[in-house]
């Protein structure tokens, strides 16, 4: 399969690329050091990415910026960071990419544990995660041509615990390699409308 990975240079994206590249042709997209540049917050950039990639069998998104900070500091402008990138960016991948995905292909989006297990400062991210999960579940019954859609919801990563550990007290971190298996399940399996939790 031809698999387009958005965010392929990040911690999760790199692990997904390693997991899939031995069996599939990988096209990478992102802001830096990838085959194709894309800015998720810009629909025109997303359209250009798909035109450059050509026909593909699977789209995997491990990218998307979110605002983290105390609720009392959350403003509409700060929340818009999350809305434009993590939320609308991923949804627009599906809306603008559906005609570039082959029959029986798939989309795999990324949510996260905060929609199920909140932390202080994570309201904006939790909002986007929950909305994406709802979009995935609902759109799965309407996508044409046998195209599937799922989302992967990881917890904090072992590779990131030194940086983010103080924000996740008592959480059990998982290695990125384990998270990558959920993306493989989505790409190579037959399920649709699912949330694959890696907690």
């Amino acid at each position: 399969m031809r698999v387009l990975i958005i965010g392929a240079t990040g911690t999760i994206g790199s692990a997904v690329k390693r997991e899939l590249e031995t069996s599939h042709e990988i096209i990478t997209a992102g802001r830096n050091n990838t085959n194709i540049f894309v800015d998720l917050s810009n629909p025109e950039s997303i359209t250009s990415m798909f035109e450059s990639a050509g026909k593909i069998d699977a789209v995997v998104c491990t990218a998307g910026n979110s605002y983290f900070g105390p609720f009392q500091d959350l403003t509409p402008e700060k929340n818009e960071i999350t809305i434009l990138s993590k939320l609308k960016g991923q949804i627009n991948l599906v809306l603008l990419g559906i005609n570039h995905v082959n029959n029986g292909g798939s989309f795999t989006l990324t949510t996260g544990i905060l929609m199920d297990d909140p932390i202080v400062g994570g309201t904006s991210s939790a909002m986007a995660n929950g909305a994406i999960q709802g979009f995935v579940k609902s759109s799965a019954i309407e996508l044409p041509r046998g195209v599937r859609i799922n989302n992967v919801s990881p917890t904090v990563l072992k590779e990131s615990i030194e940086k983010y550990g103080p924000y996740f007290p008592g959480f059990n971190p998982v290695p990125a390699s384990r998270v990558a298996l959920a993306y493989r399940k989505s790409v190579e399996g037959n399920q649709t409308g699912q949330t694959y939790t890696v907690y």
Side-chain angles (χ1 to χ4, degrees):
M1 287 191 283
R2 300 188 77 235
V3 181
L4 174 63
I5 303 177
I6 298 104
T9 59
T11 306
I12 293 177
S14 297
V16 174
K17 182 176 180 290
R18 286 192 297 272
E19 181 64 34
L20 296 178
E21 64 186 356
T22 57
S23 306
H24 306 287
E25 177 187 349
I26 304 297
I27 305 114
T28 61
R31 289 179 174 271
N32 299 295
N33 302 314
T34 55
N35 301 131
I36 306 170
F37 174 84
V38 67
D39 176 359
L40 273 186
S41 67
N42 185 332
E44 291 180 358
S45 181
I46 293 173
T47 297
S48 177
M49 174 194 68
F50 280 117
E51 290 172 350
S52 296
K55 284 289 187 178
I56 46 183
D57 299 296
V59 177
V60 172
C61 183
T62 64
N65 293 328
S66 291
Y67 173 79
F68 281 87
F71 179 80
Q72 52 266 43
D73 294 337
L74 183 61
T75 64
E77 293 76 18
K78 291 174 179 176
N79 201 39
E80 197 71 7
I81 295 169
T82 307
I83 292 170
L84 287 176
S85 183
K86 177 88 173 186
L87 177 53
K88 287 176 68 176
Q90 291 199 89
I91 290 173
N92 285 338
L93 283 175
V94 181
L95 300 180
L96 298 172
I98 187 66
N99 292 328
H100 296 270
V101 173
N102 290 324
N103 293 352
S106 68
F107 291 89
T108 307
L109 308 183
T110 298
T111 51
I113 194 171
L114 298 186
M115 66 183 177
D116 295 322
D117 198 353
I119 62 169
V120 172
T123 296
S124 189
S125 181
M127 168 204 68
N129 292 341
I132 294 163
Q133 183 186 47
F135 174 81
V136 165
K137 187 174 183 179
S138 182
S139 65
I141 67 172
E142 295 193 68
L143 291 184
R145 300 180 287 104
V147 175
R148 300 178 299 104
I149 185 169
N150 298 299
N151 71 104
V152 175
S153 179
T155 187
V156 64
L157 303 177
K158 281 188 175 180
E159 292 85 346
S160 305
I161 199 66
E162 186 173 332
K163 182 176 181 181
Y164 296 112
Y167 300 100
F168 291 86
F171 282 67
N172 184 21
V174 299
S177 59
R178 183 180 158 204
V179 174
L181 293 174
Y183 289 89
R184 181 169 194 163
K185 185 177 186 179
S186 179
V187 168
E188 298 181 355
N190 289 312
Q191 294 180 334
T192 190
Q194 300 299 305
T195 298
Y196 298 119
T197 59
V198 190
Y199 303 162

